[in-house]
Amino acid sequence: MIIVFKPTASEFEIQTVEDRIRAIGYSPHEIVGVERKVLGAVGDERFKEQLLALETMPGVESVIPILKPYKLASREFKKTDTVVVVNHESVGGDRIALMAGPCSVESRKQILDTALLVKKAGANFMRGGAFKPRTSPYSFQGLEKEGLEYMDEAKKETGLPIVTEVMNPREVDLVARYADVMQVGARNVQNFSLLKELGKINKPVLLKRGMMTTIKEFLMSAEYILASGNKDVILCERGIRTFETMTRNTLDIAAVPVLKRESHLPVIIDPSHASGHWDFVASLSRAAIAAGSDGLMIEVHPDPEKAWSDGPQSLKPGKFSTLVETLRPLAKLMGRTL
Ligand code: PEP
Ligand code: MN
């Protein structure tokens, strides 16, 4: 529900309404960027009649139901685009965020070398997985804490904020000690316990769309994080599973305008997992920027042939650097910078 106050509403009247919202079991969320006081209220739908009755309280002009099942994530709730601030960087503003790095953290040298190379090429975030969700239990599972320490060193060396995956609610505290952005992988998009845990922390979350989640389900997952109290969610389209086998996944490019219409949250594209092949990454990156994506997450490895995971889709640093240069004029054309 959206509660719109009269321009004449007093602080006392607003406070009384907020108290009532809490008493019904709903939580009030301030809606920023509007002229008069507006609150969003989300909670157990069984009690929505009581919430509608707030319209009779002093100072309240109207109570408008949010029709979409995703409430806090919806454009109805917030008309202006959300910019997620990460240290000195941001996602969702004029500058297109460029997150780059290897699929997995493999060694100290690999991470430090890659961090310096991607920074030089123009990346403003460093990615790398220390906890890896692998299809096979016999595949490399990640360096875990040791990997996070290498990422931290790379951050100290380059100043690049770190994006890294968290797979398990039990590991949220550990990963949050190192990460600037907590990544939720495609396979965990509906791990609701994890999403709720991430809603309680004060760190941005990069939520990847699952290979089999609809856009609506994807937004409902974002809603879990927002409803638990964390406003900083970045949506990432990384390809969905279709009948096509020539690419690892099928990039759903339409997800960008659809998500932008439905939600105020920033949207980025991961062309690496979407395609599965390094030689398609440049085309899909250009498509992403043309479609209005707020950023790109690209896998880059100093030696893809020897990568412990996702080598075939990883760009060599030189190729990444060339790609960034070709994307700059395109970004400009879209009224953005890179
Ligand atoms: C990754 O980013 O390395 C990853 C595992 O991605 P996804 O969850 O999209 O498969
Ligand atoms: Mn990967």
XYZ file of all heavy atoms in Angstrom, residues 144-233:
707
model
N 37.168 -20.440 -0.969
C 36.448 -19.983 0.232
C 37.185 -18.833 0.922
O 37.553 -17.884 0.254
C 36.153 -21.173 1.145
C 35.389 -22.247 0.366
C 34.821 -23.365 1.190
O 35.244 -23.571 2.352
O 33.929 -24.054 0.659
N 37.448 -18.938 2.228
C 37.990 -17.780 2.965
C 39.316 -17.285 2.381
O 39.550 -16.081 2.244
C 38.165 -18.158 4.436
C 38.563 -16.989 5.313
C 38.324 -17.300 6.780
C 38.604 -16.114 7.664
N 40.035 -15.851 7.850
N 40.147 -18.235 1.997
C 41.436 -17.860 1.392
C 41.198 -16.993 0.136
O 41.878 -15.992 -0.091
C 42.185 -19.147 1.023
C 43.574 -18.931 0.475
C 44.183 -20.240 -0.059
O 43.677 -21.339 0.248
O 45.168 -20.142 -0.812
N 40.210 -17.384 -0.642
C 39.860 -16.627 -1.853
C 39.385 -15.224 -1.521
O 39.732 -14.257 -2.214
N 38.608 -15.116 -0.465
C 38.118 -13.783 -0.054
C 39.299 -12.904 0.355
O 39.318 -11.699 0.081
C 37.133 -13.908 1.112
C 35.807 -14.625 0.807
C 35.005 -14.842 2.093
C 34.975 -13.834 -0.198
N 40.301 -13.512 0.984
C 41.479 -12.733 1.409
C 42.257 -12.205 0.205
O 42.726 -11.070 0.203
C 42.364 -13.577 2.333
C 41.802 -13.572 3.741
C 42.278 -14.716 4.619
O 43.174 -15.486 4.193
O 41.729 -14.835 5.735
N 42.353 -13.010 -0.834
C 43.041 -12.543 -2.051
C 42.260 -11.403 -2.701
O 42.835 -10.437 -3.209
C 43.231 -13.686 -3.066
C 44.097 -14.814 -2.564
C 43.891 -16.131 -3.004
C 45.135 -14.584 -1.658
C 44.679 -17.178 -2.556
C 45.915 -15.627 -1.199
C 45.680 -16.926 -1.641
O 46.451 -17.954 -1.193
N 40.933 -11.524 -2.688
C 40.100 -10.460 -3.259
C 40.309 -9.162 -2.472
O 40.379 -8.076 -3.047
C 38.612 -10.858 -3.223
C 38.218 -11.951 -4.182
S 38.347 -11.460 -5.911
C 36.774 -10.673 -6.187
N 40.416 -9.319 -1.168
C 40.614 -8.152 -0.304
C 41.947 -7.475 -0.614
O 42.049 -6.246 -0.666
C 40.574 -8.636 1.153
C 40.449 -7.484 2.123
O 39.611 -6.604 1.863
O 41.201 -7.458 3.111
N 42.953 -8.306 -0.844
C 44.269 -7.757 -1.205
C 44.201 -7.006 -2.528
O 44.767 -5.927 -2.694
C 45.265 -8.912 -1.348
C 46.384 -8.849 -0.329
C 47.437 -9.900 -0.619
O 47.254 -11.041 -0.140
O 48.422 -9.592 -1.303
N 43.464 -7.592 -3.480
C 43.316 -6.956 -4.800
C 42.596 -5.623 -4.658
O 42.915 -4.649 -5.337
C 42.541 -7.882 -5.736
N 41.648 -5.572 -3.755
C 40.912 -4.323 -3.521
C 41.851 -3.266 -2.934
O 41.841 -2.105 -3.354
C 39.753 -4.613 -2.563
C 39.015 -3.384 -2.111
C 37.872 -3.792 -1.220
C 37.411 -2.656 -0.359
N 36.280 -3.060 0.471
N 42.682 -3.697 -1.995
C 43.622 -2.742 -1.384
C 44.608 -2.224 -2.432
O 45.006 -1.067 -2.428
C 44.341 -3.397 -0.215
C 43.378 -3.627 0.937
C 44.063 -3.934 2.254
C 43.028 -4.026 3.367
N 42.860 -5.400 3.880
N 44.987 -3.096 -3.328
C 45.960 -2.754 -4.371
C 45.378 -1.806 -5.424
O 46.047 -0.898 -5.889
C 46.386 -4.076 -5.048
C 47.622 -4.014 -5.901
C 48.907 -3.863 -5.090
O 48.965 -4.362 -3.932
O 49.829 -3.248 -5.619
N 44.105 -2.041 -5.795
C 43.521 -1.312 -6.935
C 42.441 -0.303 -6.543
O 42.087 0.552 -7.355
C 42.849 -2.306 -7.906
O 41.823 -3.007 -7.178
C 43.824 -3.296 -8.489
N 41.861 -0.465 -5.372
C 40.737 0.385 -4.967
C 39.406 -0.084 -5.557
O 38.371 0.530 -5.307
N 39.438 -1.156 -6.354
C 38.182 -1.622 -6.964
C 37.310 -2.316 -5.917
O 37.776 -3.218 -5.216
C 38.466 -2.634 -8.090
C 39.199 -2.137 -9.335
C 39.441 -3.308 -10.298
C 38.419 -1.031 -10.030
N 36.029 -1.923 -5.829
C 35.126 -2.660 -4.939
C 34.978 -4.111 -5.427
O 35.073 -4.389 -6.622
C 33.789 -1.919 -5.066
C 34.061 -0.669 -5.798
C 35.345 -0.833 -6.543
N 34.729 -4.989 -4.472
C 34.703 -6.432 -4.733
C 33.266 -6.948 -4.842
O 32.439 -6.666 -3.980
C 35.396 -7.151 -3.535
C 36.868 -6.757 -3.427
C 35.229 -8.653 -3.595
C 37.657 -7.004 -4.669
N 33.024 -7.719 -5.898
C 31.738 -8.411 -6.047
C 32.036 -9.902 -5.940
O 32.818 -10.437 -6.728
C 31.107 -8.148 -7.435
C 29.701 -8.754 -7.508
C 31.084 -6.672 -7.776
N 31.411 -10.556 -4.979
C 31.695 -11.988 -4.825
C 30.464 -12.722 -4.301
O 29.619 -12.130 -3.617
C 32.954 -12.196 -3.932
O 33.419 -13.533 -4.086
C 32.678 -11.931 -2.459
N 30.380 -13.995 -4.650
C 29.141 -14.747 -4.378
C 29.065 -15.282 -2.954
O 30.061 -15.710 -2.382
C 29.037 -15.914 -5.386
C 27.788 -16.751 -5.166
C 27.328 -17.541 -6.384
O 27.890 -17.382 -7.481
O 26.377 -18.331 -6.215
N 27.838 -15.263 -2.434
C 27.550 -15.935 -1.166
C 26.492 -16.986 -1.468
O 25.517 -16.718 -2.153
C 27.100 -14.937 -0.066
C 25.874 -14.133 -0.468
C 26.846 -15.653 1.255
N 26.729 -18.216 -0.988
C 25.834 -19.313 -1.374
C 24.906 -19.755 -0.261
O 23.912 -20.439 -0.510
C 26.665 -20.524 -1.812
C 27.294 -20.335 -3.184
S 28.436 -21.663 -3.585
C 27.472 -23.120 -3.279
N 25.267 -19.386 0.968
C 24.638 -20.025 2.099
C 24.352 -19.002 3.193
O 25.228 -18.176 3.478
C 25.677 -21.048 2.593
C 25.139 -21.991 3.604
O 24.479 -21.582 4.557
N 25.428 -23.247 3.409
N 23.181 -19.050 3.814
C 22.895 -18.072 4.885
C 23.968 -18.088 5.986
O 24.276 -17.059 6.559
C 21.551 -18.526 5.446
C 20.932 -19.371 4.396
C 22.051 -19.960 3.573
N 24.551 -19.249 6.230
C 25.567 -19.363 7.287
C 26.848 -18.608 6.946
O 27.667 -18.327 7.815
C 25.940 -20.836 7.520
C 24.882 -21.655 8.208
C 25.478 -22.991 8.666
N 26.140 -23.699 7.568
C 25.533 -24.551 6.743
N 24.269 -24.814 6.897
N 26.196 -25.139 5.774
N 27.055 -18.343 5.655
C 28.299 -17.685 5.239
C 28.131 -16.192 4.964
O 29.072 -15.540 4.525
C 28.868 -18.409 4.005
C 29.527 -19.725 4.386
C 29.366 -20.813 3.332
O 28.839 -20.541 2.251
O 29.758 -21.957 3.637
N 26.932 -15.668 5.233
C 26.668 -14.251 4.931
C 27.646 -13.350 5.708
O 28.254 -12.442 5.133
C 25.188 -13.887 5.224
C 24.984 -12.379 5.237
C 24.277 -14.531 4.180
N 27.827 -13.618 6.996
C 28.700 -12.747 7.805
C 30.131 -12.783 7.298
O 30.781 -11.751 7.178
C 28.671 -13.168 9.281
C 27.359 -12.762 9.931
O 26.632 -11.949 9.317
O 27.055 -13.275 11.020
N 30.617 -13.982 7.008
C 31.995 -14.123 6.527
C 32.179 -13.374 5.203
O 33.105 -12.556 5.060
C 32.330 -15.616 6.335
C 33.651 -15.905 5.609
C 34.838 -15.451 6.461
C 33.788 -17.394 5.268
N 31.312 -13.609 4.243
C 31.460 -12.968 2.922
C 31.302 -11.447 3.061
O 32.035 -10.680 2.431
C 30.467 -13.573 1.893
C 30.582 -12.868 0.550
C 30.738 -15.078 1.714
N 30.369 -11.018 3.904
C 30.122 -9.573 4.068
C 31.333 -8.849 4.654
O 31.489 -7.646 4.476
C 28.896 -9.343 4.938
N 32.196 -9.589 5.339
C 33.412 -8.961 5.896
C 34.360 -8.517 4.786
O 35.163 -7.618 4.953
C 34.129 -9.943 6.824
C 33.959 -9.571 8.296
C 34.733 -10.505 9.191
N 33.908 -11.629 9.606
C 34.343 -12.869 9.790
N 35.625 -13.166 9.593
N 33.521 -13.821 10.160
N 34.283 -9.149 3.637
C 35.205 -8.854 2.531
C 34.516 -8.175 1.343
O 35.102 -7.343 0.675
C 35.852 -10.147 2.032
C 36.701 -10.841 3.077
C 36.165 -11.804 3.925
C 38.055 -10.511 3.213
C 36.936 -12.439 4.883
C 38.834 -11.143 4.165
C 38.272 -12.101 5.006
O 39.042 -12.716 5.939
N 33.295 -8.591 1.061
C 32.639 -8.135 -0.175
C 32.101 -6.719 -0.054
O 31.686 -6.287 1.019
C 31.476 -9.070 -0.502
N 32.111 -5.999 -1.163
C 31.411 -4.715 -1.238
C 30.027 -4.938 -1.824
O 29.102 -4.194 -1.534
C 32.202 -3.727 -2.096
C 33.558 -3.453 -1.473
O 33.587 -2.844 -0.403
O 34.580 -3.909 -2.028
N 29.916 -5.948 -2.688
C 28.623 -6.331 -3.250
C 28.495 -7.853 -3.083
O 29.381 -8.602 -3.477
C 28.516 -5.963 -4.753
C 27.172 -6.403 -5.316
C 28.724 -4.464 -4.972
N 27.384 -8.272 -2.500
C 27.146 -9.694 -2.255
C 26.382 -10.261 -3.453
O 25.258 -9.845 -3.733
C 26.268 -9.863 -1.005
C 26.775 -9.127 0.231
S 28.120 -9.972 1.036
C 27.232 -11.243 1.953
N 27.007 -11.186 -4.151
C 26.353 -11.767 -5.329
C 25.525 -12.995 -4.941
O 25.999 -13.863 -4.207
C 27.424 -12.161 -6.351
C 26.881 -12.848 -7.595
C 27.977 -13.086 -8.632
O 28.890 -12.279 -8.786
N 27.888 -14.197 -9.340
N 24.299 -13.032 -5.436
C 23.482 -14.247 -5.307
C 23.439 -14.861 -6.696
O 23.010 -14.218 -7.658
C 22.048 -13.926 -4.825
C 21.199 -15.194 -4.778
C 22.081 -13.265 -3.455
N 23.900 -16.083 -6.814
C 24.005 -16.726 -8.117
C 22.645 -17.204 -8.623
O 21.668 -17.300 -7.868
N 22.625 -17.513 -9.923
C 21.394 -17.951 -10.585
C 20.742 -19.130 -9.853
O 19.518 -19.203 -9.740
C 21.720 -18.343 -12.020
N 21.570 -20.027 -9.335
C 21.024 -21.229 -8.702
C 20.403 -20.945 -7.340
O 19.702 -21.778 -6.779
C 22.121 -22.289 -8.578
C 22.519 -22.850 -9.925
C 23.943 -23.378 -9.938
N 24.366 -23.661 -11.295
C 24.819 -22.735 -12.144
N 24.928 -21.456 -11.768
N 25.177 -23.060 -13.364
N 20.705 -19.786 -6.792
C 20.190 -19.451 -5.459
C 19.133 -18.362 -5.485
O 18.760 -17.850 -4.430
C 21.351 -18.991 -4.566
C 21.904 -20.138 -3.742
O 21.148 -20.973 -3.248
N 23.209 -20.197 -3.606
N 18.654 -18.036 -6.679
C 17.731 -16.894 -6.778
C 16.462 -17.114 -5.952
O 15.843 -16.160 -5.512
C 17.419 -16.564 -8.259
C 16.607 -17.671 -8.906
C 16.707 -15.232 -8.407
N 16.106 -18.368 -5.739
C 14.921 -18.628 -4.906
C 15.288 -19.325 -3.592
O 14.463 -20.018 -3.000
C 13.877 -19.420 -5.686
C 13.224 -18.544 -6.770
C 12.025 -19.189 -7.424
O 12.071 -20.374 -7.752
N 10.968 -18.429 -7.614
N 16.505 -19.089 -3.147
C 16.893 -19.560 -1.810
C 16.417 -18.486 -0.832
O 17.134 -17.550 -0.495
C 18.415 -19.739 -1.766
C 18.899 -20.240 -0.421
O 18.213 -20.133 0.585
N 20.110 -20.772 -0.410
N 15.166 -18.633 -0.407
C 14.522 -17.552 0.343
C 15.173 -17.304 1.697
O 15.191 -16.172 2.174
C 13.011 -17.826 0.464
C 12.348 -17.934 -0.898
C 11.710 -19.099 -1.286
C 12.403 -16.882 -1.794
C 11.123 -19.202 -2.554
C 11.822 -16.977 -3.064
C 11.180 -18.134 -3.437
N 15.740 -18.348 2.305
C 16.440 -18.130 3.586
C 17.643 -17.234 3.366
O 17.931 -16.342 4.168
C 16.924 -19.451 4.184
O 15.951 -20.429 4.081
N 18.360 -17.471 2.262
C 19.530 -16.639 1.949
C 19.087 -15.198 1.661
O 19.686 -14.239 2.155
C 20.275 -17.229 0.739
C 21.484 -16.437 0.239
C 22.583 -16.372 1.305
C 22.066 -17.068 -1.037
N 18.032 -15.051 0.884
C 17.550 -13.713 0.524
C 17.140 -12.935 1.776
O 17.455 -11.749 1.918
C 16.384 -13.794 -0.468
C 16.680 -14.514 -1.794
C 15.437 -14.561 -2.667
C 17.825 -13.857 -2.558
N 16.472 -13.611 2.698
C 16.043 -12.927 3.931
C 17.251 -12.490 4.754
O 17.274 -11.408 5.321
C 15.164 -13.866 4.766
C 13.751 -14.002 4.237
C 12.937 -14.837 5.214
C 11.750 -15.472 4.552
N 11.090 -16.474 5.376
N 18.260 -13.355 4.808
C 19.483 -13.015 5.550
C 20.146 -11.786 4.935
O 20.621 -10.892 5.623
C 20.458 -14.186 5.475
C 20.769 -15.002 6.691
C 20.227 -14.561 8.016
O 19.122 -14.966 8.392
O 20.934 -13.816 8.712
N 20.175 -11.747 3.597
C 20.810 -10.626 2.901
C 19.998 -9.346 3.053
O 20.533 -8.248 2.906
C 21.011 -10.972 1.421
C 22.069 -12.046 1.188
C 22.032 -12.548 -0.252
C 23.465 -11.526 1.522
N 18.728 -9.501 3.355
C 17.890 -8.329 3.615
C 18.252 -7.647 4.912
O 17.929 -6.478 5.117
N 18.950 -8.387 5.798
C 19.241 -7.827 7.120
C 20.580 -7.117 7.181
O 20.928 -6.535 8.195
C 19.233 -8.961 8.157
C 17.861 -9.574 8.345
C 17.915 -10.568 9.495
C 16.922 -11.692 9.313
N 17.393 -12.967 9.873
N 21.377 -7.227 6.102
C 22.713 -6.626 6.172
C 22.747 -5.293 5.428
O 21.866 -4.968 4.651
C 23.820 -7.567 5.630
C 23.610 -7.843 4.142
C 23.885 -8.848 6.452
C 24.803 -8.446 3.469
N 23.820 -4.595 5.690
C 23.957 -3.252 5.149
C 24.964 -3.263 3.988
O 25.944 -2.534 4.012
C 24.434 -2.363 6.313
C 24.321 -0.916 5.962
O 23.661 -0.564 4.986
N 24.992 -0.072 6.728
N 24.751 -4.155 3.029
C 25.652 -4.283 1.868
C 24.792 -4.482 0.638
O 23.824 -5.259 0.689
C 26.517 -5.540 2.002
C 27.705 -5.452 2.916
C 28.985 -5.138 2.177
C 30.000 -4.506 3.088
N 30.992 -5.405 3.578
N 25.137 -3.849 -0.486
C 24.361 -4.087 -1.706
C 24.403 -5.558 -2.132
O 25.394 -6.258 -1.899
C 25.075 -3.211 -2.739
C 25.808 -2.191 -1.955
C 26.189 -2.851 -0.657
N 23.321 -5.977 -2.754
C 23.207 -7.358 -3.226
C 23.041 -7.342 -4.743
O 22.235 -6.585 -5.279
C 21.970 -8.048 -2.595
C 21.789 -9.456 -3.157
C 22.093 -8.084 -1.080
N 23.844 -8.154 -5.424
C 23.677 -8.341 -6.865
C 22.939 -9.665 -7.046
O 23.471 -10.725 -6.737
C 25.045 -8.367 -7.555
C 25.015 -8.352 -9.086
C 26.282 -7.682 -9.597
C 24.904 -9.723 -9.688
N 21.698 -9.557 -7.484
C 20.848 -10.738 -7.585
C 20.773 -11.193 -9.029
O 20.304 -10.465 -9.900
C 19.439 -10.376 -7.076
C 18.386 -11.477 -7.096
C 18.747 -12.601 -6.127
C 17.010 -10.900 -6.729
N 21.247 -12.419 -9.274
C 21.208 -12.935 -10.640
C 19.900 -13.662 -10.894
O 19.397 -14.374 -10.029
C 22.390 -13.874 -10.862
C 23.711 -13.118 -10.968
C 24.822 -14.045 -11.380
C 25.750 -13.380 -12.351
N 26.613 -14.353 -13.021
N 19.387 -13.476 -12.093
C 18.177 -14.188 -12.472
C 18.512 -15.665 -12.649
O 19.567 -16.010 -13.195
C 17.658 -13.615 -13.801
C 16.381 -14.264 -14.276
C 15.933 -13.637 -15.575
N 14.740 -14.261 -16.090
C 14.200 -13.961 -17.264
N 14.785 -13.040 -18.028
N 13.123 -14.554 -17.676
N 17.633 -16.520 -12.198
C 17.855 -17.945 -12.381
C 17.663 -18.343 -13.832
O 17.015 -17.625 -14.596
N 18.224 -19.487 -14.197
C 18.075 -19.923 -15.592
C 16.636 -20.339 -15.893
O 16.268 -20.472 -17.040
C 19.066 -21.037 -15.956
C 19.091 -22.225 -15.051
S 20.146 -21.916 -13.643
C 21.711 -22.477 -14.246
N 15.849 -20.536 -14.844
C 14.449 -20.933 -15.070
C 13.465 -20.061 -14.303
O 12.373 -20.507 -13.988
C 14.284 -22.408 -14.709
C 14.931 -23.315 -15.739
S 15.037 -25.024 -15.226
C 16.182 -24.943 -13.885
N 13.863 -18.827 -14.020
C 12.915 -17.947 -13.327
C 12.316 -16.950 -14.310
O 13.023 -16.394 -15.150
C 13.572 -17.131 -12.186
O 14.900 -16.841 -12.525
C 13.537 -17.838 -10.884
N 11.036 -16.720 -14.173
C 10.382 -15.689 -14.977
C 10.783 -14.328 -14.394
O 11.277 -14.249 -13.258
C 8.851 -15.809 -14.904
O 8.467 -15.590 -13.545
C 8.364 -17.174 -15.372
N 10.516 -13.283 -15.161
C 10.841 -11.939 -14.671
C 10.039 -11.645 -13.400
O 10.546 -11.047 -12.453
C 10.586 -10.896 -15.782
C 11.628 -11.095 -16.891
C 10.612 -9.475 -15.230
C 11.463 -10.210 -18.108
N 8.814 -12.104 -13.377
C 7.987 -11.871 -12.189
C 8.579 -12.581 -10.960
O 8.695 -11.983 -9.883
C 6.567 -12.377 -12.475
C 5.579 -12.037 -11.414
C 4.166 -12.340 -11.920
C 3.263 -12.625 -10.743
N 1.955 -13.101 -11.164
N 8.988 -13.836 -11.148
C 9.593 -14.561 -10.025
C 10.891 -13.884 -9.586
O 11.211 -13.808 -8.386
C 9.880 -16.011 -10.427
C 8.634 -16.858 -10.544
C 8.835 -18.157 -11.316
O 9.850 -18.292 -12.047
O 7.966 -19.027 -11.224
N 11.641 -13.405 -10.559
C 12.907 -12.713 -10.288
C 12.644 -11.486 -9.398
O 13.306 -11.270 -8.376
C 13.510 -12.308 -11.641
C 14.871 -11.685 -11.621
C 15.799 -11.974 -10.619
C 15.254 -10.810 -12.641
C 17.059 -11.398 -10.638
C 16.506 -10.240 -12.667
C 17.409 -10.524 -11.660
N 11.621 -10.720 -9.772
C 11.296 -9.530 -8.977
C 10.765 -9.906 -7.588
O 10.993 -9.183 -6.621
C 10.305 -8.642 -9.731
C 10.938 -7.873 -10.902
C 9.877 -7.195 -11.756
C 11.950 -6.834 -10.402
N 10.080 -11.036 -7.499
C 9.619 -11.486 -6.176
C 10.817 -11.838 -5.294
O 10.789 -11.633 -4.076
C 8.682 -12.696 -6.303
C 7.340 -12.391 -6.955
S 6.474 -10.975 -6.278
C 6.000 -11.578 -4.667
N 11.880 -12.363 -5.903
C 13.097 -12.650 -5.129
C 13.739 -11.363 -4.636
O 14.188 -11.282 -3.485
C 14.088 -13.446 -5.984
O 13.561 -14.728 -6.224
N 13.774 -10.352 -5.521
C 14.301 -9.046 -5.089
C 13.456 -8.514 -3.936
O 13.976 -7.940 -2.969
C 14.285 -8.069 -6.263
N 12.154 -8.758 -4.019
C 11.222 -8.278 -2.991
C 11.571 -8.853 -1.608
O 11.447 -8.168 -0.603
C 9.793 -8.660 -3.386
C 8.711 -8.056 -2.522
C 8.472 -6.561 -2.762
O 8.939 -6.014 -3.774
O 7.806 -5.946 -1.912
N 11.990 -10.120 -1.582
C 12.393 -10.729 -0.312
C 13.506 -9.919 0.367
O 13.484 -9.702 1.567
C 12.908 -12.164 -0.541
C 11.846 -13.217 -0.326
C 11.069 -13.671 -1.375
C 11.633 -13.751 0.934
C 10.095 -14.632 -1.188
C 10.667 -14.720 1.144
C 9.897 -15.154 0.080
O 8.929 -16.101 0.284
N 14.479 -9.493 -0.428
C 15.614 -8.739 0.140
C 15.128 -7.370 0.607
O 15.437 -6.931 1.722
C 16.743 -8.598 -0.908
C 17.181 -9.984 -1.398
C 17.924 -7.824 -0.328
C 18.095 -9.956 -2.622
N 14.349 -6.711 -0.239
C 13.850 -5.368 0.105
C 12.938 -5.421 1.331
O 13.052 -4.589 2.233
C 13.082 -4.777 -1.090
C 13.866 -4.587 -2.399
C 12.911 -4.262 -3.537
C 14.900 -3.481 -2.266
N 12.055 -6.419 1.345
C 11.090 -6.511 2.454
C 11.793 -6.806 3.773
O 11.289 -6.465 4.841
C 10.053 -7.585 2.156
N 12.977 -7.424 3.702
C 13.720 -7.694 4.938
C 14.567 -6.500 5.359
O 15.300 -6.586 6.343
C 14.618 -8.923 4.779
O 13.875 -10.006 4.332
N 14.524 -5.419 4.566
C 15.162 -4.182 5.048
C 16.330 -3.663 4.245
O 16.869 -2.605 4.558
N 16.791 -4.399 3.236
C 17.940 -3.922 2.449
C 17.427 -3.315 1.135
O 16.834 -4.007 0.317
C 18.885 -5.103 2.173
C 20.205 -4.660 1.563
O 20.319 -3.551 1.049
N 21.184 -5.542 1.617
N 17.703 -2.028 0.963
C 17.171 -1.311 -0.214
C 18.071 -1.438 -1.436
O 17.688 -1.033 -2.531
C 17.079 0.187 0.101
C 15.994 0.589 1.064
C 15.860 2.114 1.005
C 14.775 2.643 1.896
N 15.071 2.538 3.326
N 19.298 -1.921 -1.228
C 20.296 -1.859 -2.297
C 20.390 -3.175 -3.058
O 21.228 -4.032 -2.754
C 21.659 -1.474 -1.714
C 21.630 -0.048 -1.225
O 20.940 0.787 -1.849
O 22.284 0.246 -0.200
N 19.545 -3.315 -4.050
C 19.531 -4.541 -4.852
C 19.807 -4.175 -6.310
O 19.214 -3.239 -6.851
C 18.167 -5.274 -4.731
C 18.139 -6.512 -5.610
C 17.889 -5.638 -3.272
